Amino acid sequence: MTTAPTKPARSLTRAPDTGQEPARRKRRNGKQLLAIWLFLVPAAVLGLYFKFIPMVEGIRLSFFKVQPFLGDVFVGLDNYISVLTDARFMEALGHTVVLGVTQTLGALVVGFALALLLEGQARSLWILRTTIFLPVVTALAVVGEIWRILYFPTADGPLNSILGWLGLGPLQFLNGTDTALWSIAVVGIWSGAPYNMVIILAGLTGVDRSLYESAGVDGATIWQRLRYITLPALRPSLVIVLTLAAIRSLRSFTEVYVLTGGGPAGSTEVWMTRMYSLGFQRNDIGVASAAAVLLLVVTLLLTLGTQLLGKRKAAL
């Protein structure tokens, strides 16, 4: 009877710790950390100069009556009271909420449907995904001009021509007080859905495919697979999509300004356009700064609320 050779006992023992290896590893980590911070310095300097310093200056101005060449006068919370008691600001807040909810939910549903339809590795799907993603990389001013042409109110306008073939219209998309806000919401959904699609597609790559096979063996329907497998697996991605879409909707400005400028009769005036008109047309910088600070606070609260809700749902 033969026995298998055993490994010498000395090979199983660790080399004596002289303290040099941890010190070498610590120096290497220190150099890597230094390199990371050196790469971050240019972005940090630009962000500090163009974002955080103006932000702090805006907060300071929100407590002053700004008078160029005459000196600013401290007014405390008067600017905030002016914002919160201004009927036009409250009306703009209502339009912002309607626009934000419509655009957020619409872009989420459309983006989710696009992600399900375009999931896969085929080359043709890559071409389609790239084509659909184009609105995201197009400047919002250009998007607004394109849709302003599409919404041309006469019977020979592009969209009204299609409605004419169906025996409908023509509609005053941007000229009617009842239709202008919804027309802008469609533009927001059109430009935001492809961005959501990309995030959801990234989330779909992490779904365990064996679960679908097991569900198919058990006779689960497509809706049941979607509800009990896909949606729970996509919860982190959906939280990100909701957070970004809500913030983007609160900051709606360019498309509103290009399409309607806040009209007709103030029916599409949102928080950002009201703030712009106060700051750069009426030159009331203090009140406009207070409105900007309130928008910042609401955005932070909305972001934190969405994150906490997502974590609570994940813990259940």
Side-chain angles (χ1 to χ4, degrees):
M1 181 178 179
T2 59
T3 59
T6 57
K7 203 170 185 177
R10 63 175 178 275
S11 64
L12 299 175
T13 59
R14 296 182 59 184
D17 188 3
T18 60
Q20 295 180 352
E21 183 60 26
R24 192 180 297 116
R25 190 181 305 116
K26 188 175 180 179
R27 286 197 297 273
R28 186 167 58 247
N29 291 339
K31 290 180 180 178
Q32 291 176 349
L33 189 63
L34 179 62
I36 292 171
W37 279 107
L38 286 177
F39 278 111
L40 288 175
V41 164
V45 171
L46 291 174
L48 178 68
Y49 190 77
F50 290 105
K51 179 174 285 188
F52 294 106
I53 291 178
M55 186 185 300
V56 173
E57 180 66 8
I59 295 174
R60 186 188 73 80
L61 291 177
S62 68
F63 296 102
F64 286 85
K65 179 178 177 58
V66 180
Q67 302 178 117
F69 310 111
L70 297 176
D72 300 339
V73 178
F74 182 76
V75 294
L77 297 175
D78 286 356
N79 289 332
Y80 291 92
I81 295 173
S82 298
V83 172
L84 296 175
T85 56
D86 183 9
R88 289 190 62 178
F89 255 118
M90 292 300 106
E91 190 177 358
L93 175 62
H95 296 157
T96 305
V97 171
V98 171
L99 197 63
V101 172
T102 307
Q103 287 185 344
T104 300
L105 295 180
L108 176 63
V109 172
V110 176
F112 185 70
L114 288 173
L116 292 180
L117 291 173
L118 300 178
E119 185 194 12
Q121 299 298 324
R123 187 178 296 274
S124 58
L125 292 179
W126 280 100
I127 296 173
L128 278 175
R129 283 198 287 259
T130 304
T131 305
I132 291 174
F133 192 72
L134 281 178
V136 178
V137 296
T138 305
L140 276 177
V142 177
V143 171
E145 287 294 334
I146 292 172
W147 276 90
R148 203 159 60 89
I149 296 172
L150 292 175
Y151 280 144
F152 201 70
T154 60
D156 56 350
L159 288 181
N160 274 326
S161 296
I162 297 174
L163 291 177
W165 298 340
L166 302 174
L168 303 174
L171 296 180
Q172 302 294 315
F173 293 102
L174 299 176
N175 296 333
T177 54
D178 296 330
T179 57
L181 192 63
W182 303 111
S183 300
I184 293 174
V186 171
V187 178
I189 294 171
W190 181 78
S191 60
Y195 189 79
N196 297 344
M197 177 195 73
V198 172
I199 297 176
I200 295 171
L201 275 173
L204 286 174
T205 59
V207 180
D208 187 357
R209 302 295 164 177
S210 62
L211 295 176
Y212 290 118
E213 298 172 3
S214 302
V217 172
D218 293 337
T221 63
I222 294 177
W223 167 247
Q224 289 172 329
R225 296 180 200 178
L226 189 66
R227 179 179 178 183
Y228 296 109
I229 299 175
T230 306
L231 288 178
L234 286 178
R235 185 175 289 122
S237 300
L238 294 178
V239 170
I240 294 173
V241 166
L242 279 175
T243 305
L244 295 178
I247 294 172
R248 191 168 55 240
S249 299
L250 284 176
R251 297 168 56 191
S252 294
F253 173 74
T254 306
E255 62 269 37
V256 177
Y257 192 77
V258 171
L259 286 169
T260 64
S267 61
T268 60
E269 191 170 57
V270 293
W271 194 270
M272 289 287 287
T273 56
R274 178 64 181 156
M275 196 166 64
Y276 174 83
S277 63
L278 278 175
F280 296 99
Q281 293 175 352
R282 286 179 42 182
N283 204 25
D284 201 345
I285 303 294
V287 178
S289 299
V293 173
L294 289 175
L295 181 63
L296 174 65
V297 172
V298 172
T299 304
L300 290 176
L301 291 177
L302 184 63
T303 304
L304 291 175
T306 309
Q307 294 293 327
L308 290 175
L309 184 63
K311 289 181 180 179
R312 181 174 298 178
K313 289 285 186 183
L316 293 178

